[in-house]
Amino acid sequence: MSGVLSKIKLFSPSKRVILSTLSQPILRTFHTSLFSLSTLKQDNQNRNDYNNTKKTSKLKLTAFLLLGIPTALFSYLYLTEGVDSIKYDPKDFILSLNNNFFVYKHYFQLNFPPIANSSNMTVVKYGNDNKKILLYNVVELTDVVKDLISKLGDNVETVVIPNKEHHLFAHAYVKYYILDKKRTNVKFFCPPGSKDSMIKSFNKKLNRNLTDTLNKVLIEFPKDYQLPREWLEDKDLNNRFKVQTFESIAVLQEIVLFDTFNKMLIACDMAHNIQQVVGDATVPGKIGMKLYGKFMGINNKFGVSPMYRLIVKDKKKLSQEVENVNNWDWKGITMAHGKPLLPKNDRDLRKEWKEDVTKNLLK
């Protein structure tokens, strides 16, 4: 196995050693099973022993098929789809609109499945003279991200954690703004029913008990489409953005915003626009993300994943939520995964999105 791997230039020497080590028990089981089946037929004096051993060999082969192949695939993806954010992340925003609306793309590797992926963070300047900053779907807080936000004024007051799945990097912003910079005016908004689990997650990631602090800065959206008191009290925030929570979709409970000034819808997983798999040809992840995108039904399309149908708990409620969003006069859209879509006269994005959601989740 090691000899074969040495001929594959895709793997570095260290990765070949790891993959070879992982593959040895699997290959040993496979070879032993085949050998048992071939040799036992030549000597079947003890029919009972033969049948029992044959049965055991078949079980081993079944185990190989059920466990060995997925393990090999997992190992391959883990070793080949790691993403170095310093190497692949852009050094500037990928979108700038009216000098107050920005999008930044970050590359990373999912924990499971271990494939290369990318995520977009939307940054909006709002309030008097656009001095306040809102961050939606925060990405890894690298030095590049810190520098870009600093150039915008660094006056971050609102951080929106869009759904229950997209909070991987939010704890770093709590540490940076609340603990390190001692900011008392930064508010972190999270979806309905997510606050307790996020506090546990943040405590674990920061390796300290910050429950009291997190209870103050982490603000949960109430159920039944109500807005938090802290959101309403910030007149600049409440006047600039309209809000719709998707309470009909279990697990996500996504918060979607509408920037009334730029006519841009700001979504996370309630829209995808993956027209090109994980960047250009120099970025890893072509195989894994293409397979994952195929499974989720999100490759080469603008819309939602049909797999979300499995977690829709109330279609009537979802239909009303979609209607509420489409009653807003949005012309463009940003999302966590895929290329943002700017307003264009020849394209009705609201109609396209509604038709796709209706087709994949409501019918």
Side-chain angles (χ1 to χ4, degrees), residues 175-296:
K175 180 181 182 302
Y176 184 62
Y177 287 110
I178 305 300
L179 302 182
D180 297 345
K181 291 202 166 191
K182 309 296 182 184
R183 299 276 184 87
T184 58
N185 62 333
V186 184
K187 303 174 288 292
F188 290 76
F189 293 95
C190 61
S194 66
K195 183 173 181 177
D196 290 343
S197 63
M198 287 193 185
I199 288 177
K200 291 180 181 178
S201 174
F202 291 4
N203 279 336
K204 183 177 181 180
K205 289 177 179 178
L206 294 172
N207 196 28
R208 56 198 297 189
N209 189 345
L210 296 171
T211 302
D212 291 341
T213 300
L214 292 171
N215 268 319
K216 294 177 183 177
V217 302
L218 199 57
I219 302 164
E220 183 178 281
F221 266 70
K223 293 183 179 181
D224 299 324
Y225 311 113
Q226 301 300 309
L227 292 176
R229 172 180 55 82
E230 293 84 354
W231 187 284
L232 294 170
E233 288 177 349
D234 187 338
K235 300 300 182 183
D236 293 327
L237 184 66
N238 195 40
N239 291 336
R240 176 69 175 264
F241 301 96
K242 294 185 181 296
V243 184
Q244 177 64 55
T245 52
F246 278 80
E247 298 179 13
S248 61
I249 300 184
V251 182
L252 294 182
Q253 300 284 293
E254 184 162 318
I255 302 168
V256 172
L257 305 181
F258 171 48
D259 177 3
T260 57
F261 180 83
N262 290 296
K263 303 296 183 184
M264 292 290 289
L265 191 69
I266 306 172
C268 186
D269 289 327
M270 282 307 299
H272 295 83
N273 185 39
I274 301 178
Q275 302 296 335
Q276 187 180 25
V277 180
V278 194
D280 59 37
T282 64
V283 177
K286 291 287 185 181
I287 297 176
M289 192 58 202
K290 192 169 185 178
L291 292 173
Y292 181 72
K294 185 75 173 178
F295 173 74
M296 294 296 290

Side-chain angles (χ1 to χ4, degrees), residues 12-26:
S12 66
S14 60
K15 289 182 178 179
R16 288 200 297 269
V17 171
I18 296 172
L19 188 56
S20 178
T21 302
L22 289 172
S23 65
Q24 292 306 315
I26 298 171

